């Protein structure tokens, strides 16, 4: 893509579309002088997408919107995941796409370590006891006490930016870290060993915690199913900060019900918001967060940094996008 495919800076129109994020305010504070508008609902987006040359969006995106997007030339995804975009359709329409990979790597890794610590230190149980004004007494059964992370083994499935940062954090706690990724070259800092995805069944029995930080692709959809859960130790925990469909949810429910695994910390699900009818809400050994791992007070700043970088590239005739997908 060259600058000729975008209008001149003074003719450019950017649409920010998100139900909650204050991206328009963040962009205004940068003083670019570029025209922009902000929408909060799918109905608004359907009505006004024809006005946008650039769209900044994630959850409100629907592929059928392309038929109304006559001016659209570039989508800056607000999320690191881009499985919701029909890439072939974007190419056919001449629309470029870049992800927000890296905008939330610190936040998601920190969230994952928080979930690991919450499981090990039984923080949800402590909060429940606080609500009941109950002081936990001494516990004779050692298997029921809070645990320490030092010496435990963490298997990280997906050793990209988030996985590598999580490895560094957990290594500081004295954990042994095994990374699973396609490239099995020199491990990044904090990783003791790297194995290819086809060796995942070999390392799962070693894990005290299994953290999913991989993207959702045809290869990773349903990656953690009944065979993988059966390979884990009954004392092991599953942490998912990737995408809901990386896990076979029915198989996970069975594993939790049968105490085949010790528990899970889950930030993403097949259906979001998680329906009130989901059995997951009732499990005492499950921590649920509302797909909030990457959401922090800095998120708008990080996304707009990426957007401005890519805009400057396109307007200057540089066809290489940062985090280019299409």
């Amino acid at each position: 893509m060259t600058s000729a495919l975008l209008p001149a800076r003074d003719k450019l129109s950017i649409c920010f579309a998100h139900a909650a994020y204050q991206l328009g305010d963040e962009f205004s504070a940068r003083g670019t002088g570029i025209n922009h508008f902000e929408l909060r609902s799918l109905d608004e987006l359907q009505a006004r997408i024809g006005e946008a040359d650039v769209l900044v969006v994630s959850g409100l995106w629907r592929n059928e919107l392309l038929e109304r997007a006559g001016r659209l030339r570039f989508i800056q995804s607000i999320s690191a995941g881009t499985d919701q975009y029909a890439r072939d359709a974007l190419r056919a329409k001449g629309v470029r796409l870049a992800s927000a990979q890296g905008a939330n790597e610190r936040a998601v890794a920190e969230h994952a370590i928080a979930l690991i610590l919450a499981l090990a230190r039984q923080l949800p149980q402590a909060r429940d006891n606080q609500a009941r004004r109950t002081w936990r007494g001494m516990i004779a059964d050692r298997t029921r006490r809070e645990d320490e992370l030092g010496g435990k083994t963490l298997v990280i499935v997906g050793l990209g930016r988030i996985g590598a940062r999580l490895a560094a954090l957990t290594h500081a706690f004295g954990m042994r870290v095994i990374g699973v990724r396609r490239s099995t070259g020199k491990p990044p800092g904090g990783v003791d060993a790297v194995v290819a995805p086809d060796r995942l069944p070999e390392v799962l029995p070693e894990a005290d915690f299994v953290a999913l930080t991989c993207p959702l692709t045809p290869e990773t959809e349903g990656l953690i199913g009944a065979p993988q859960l059966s390979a884990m130790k009954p004392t092991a925990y599953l942490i998912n900060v990737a995408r809901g469909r990386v896990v076979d949810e029915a198989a996970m429910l069975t594993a939790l019900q049968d105490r085949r695994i010790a528990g899970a910390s889950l930030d993403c699900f097949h259906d979001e918001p998680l329906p009130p009818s989901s059995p997951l809400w009732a499990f005492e050994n499950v921590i649920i967060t509302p797909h909030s791992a990457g959401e922090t007070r800095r998120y708008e700043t990080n996304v707009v940094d990426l957007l401005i970088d890519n805009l400057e590239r396109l307007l200057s005739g540089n066809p290489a996008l940062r985090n280019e997908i299409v």
Side-chain angles (χ1 to χ4, degrees):
M1 184 176 190
T2 65
S3 58
L5 295 180
L6 276 184
R9 189 181 298 266
D10 61 343
K11 303 295 184 184
L12 189 60
S13 178
I14 301 175
C15 173
F16 294 96
H18 195 278
Y21 291 164
Q22 304 299 309
L23 292 157
D25 289 347
E26 178 68 30
F27 189 75
S28 294
R30 305 301 181 93
T32 65
I34 297 175
N35 179 56
H36 61 278
F37 59 100
E38 191 159 32
L39 308 176
R40 297 293 180 199
S41 70
L42 179 58
D43 287 344
E44 290 178 299
L45 183 56
Q46 289 172 330
R48 298 192 62 186
I49 191 171
E51 304 171 33
D53 303 295
V54 174
L55 177 63
V56 186
V57 70
S58 60
L60 293 180
W61 175 255
R62 303 292 184 274
N63 288 304
E64 53 268 27
L65 288 167
L66 273 175
E67 298 305 317
R68 304 185 183 202
R71 291 174 53 175
L72 188 62
R73 289 296 175 265
F74 171 49
I75 298 174
Q76 173 65 65
S77 179
I78 297 170
S79 62
T82 56
D83 48 280
Q84 68 268 47
Y85 302 96
R87 300 181 188 187
D88 289 343
L90 292 175
R91 290 188 187 97
K93 292 284 188 178
V95 178
R96 304 291 301 281
L97 170 67
S99 79
Q101 184 181 16
N104 64 0
E105 66 179 79
R106 182 187 299 274
V108 177
E110 289 177 1
H111 195 84
I113 189 62
L115 294 176
I116 291 170
L117 283 165
L119 288 167
R121 303 304 305 170
Q122 299 184 17
L123 296 184
Q125 295 93 320
R127 186 70 176 187
D128 291 344
N129 285 338
Q130 179 180 341
R132 294 192 294 263
R133 299 173 183 253
T134 298
W135 183 275
R136 176 183 76 67
M138 304 294 286
I139 297 176
D141 183 351
R142 294 164 68 177
T143 65
R144 294 179 52 229
R145 295 179 195 164
E146 293 84 350
D147 210 346
E148 302 175 25
L149 296 185
K152 294 289 193 294
T153 295
L154 169 66
V155 170
I156 301 177
V157 181
L159 208 55
R161 296 180 184 180
I162 293 170
R165 186 174 286 273
L166 173 61
L169 292 173
T170 52
H171 187 75
F173 283 89
M175 297 187 77
R176 172 175 173 250
V177 179
I178 301 173
V180 180
R181 68 178 183 189
R182 285 174 295 185
S183 171
T184 58
K186 182 180 178 181
V191 178
D192 297 282
V194 176
V195 301
D198 62 356
R199 292 187 57 198
L200 178 61
E202 297 176 31
V203 297
L204 283 174
E206 301 180 44
D208 298 292
F209 297 88
V210 177
L212 307 177
T213 61
C214 55
L216 178 63
T217 67
E219 292 73 31
T220 62
E221 185 168 1
L223 179 66
I224 303 299
Q228 292 75 27
L229 292 162
S230 295
M232 293 169 60
K233 295 187 291 191
T235 54
Y237 294 94
L238 179 68
I239 292 88
N240 189 4
V241 291
R243 284 290 186 271
R245 294 190 179 275
V246 173
V247 177
D248 179 334
E249 206 162 273
M252 180 178 64
L253 281 166
T254 299
L256 290 165
Q257 288 167 344
D258 296 345
R259 295 282 177 170
R260 186 62 198 79
I261 60 174
S265 285
L266 308 170
D267 187 58
C268 41
F269 307 88
H270 282 211
D271 298 315
E272 296 183 2
L274 185 65
S277 59
S278 172
L280 287 169
W281 291 108
F283 282 98
E284 291 184 359
N285 58 339
V286 172
I287 298 173
I288 291 172
T289 56
H291 208 143
S292 58
E295 186 176 277
T296 71
R297 299 174 188 182
R298 285 190 51 84
Y299 198 65
E300 285 91 338
T301 300
N302 297 339
V303 170
V304 170
D305 284 346
L306 283 168
L307 170 66
I308 290 177
D309 186 352
N310 279 328
L311 286 177
E312 293 302 329
R313 291 170 183 240
L314 294 174
L315 288 167
S316 65
N318 180 357
L321 294 173
R322 188 172 166 192
N323 296 341
E324 180 176 320
I325 304 297
V326 174

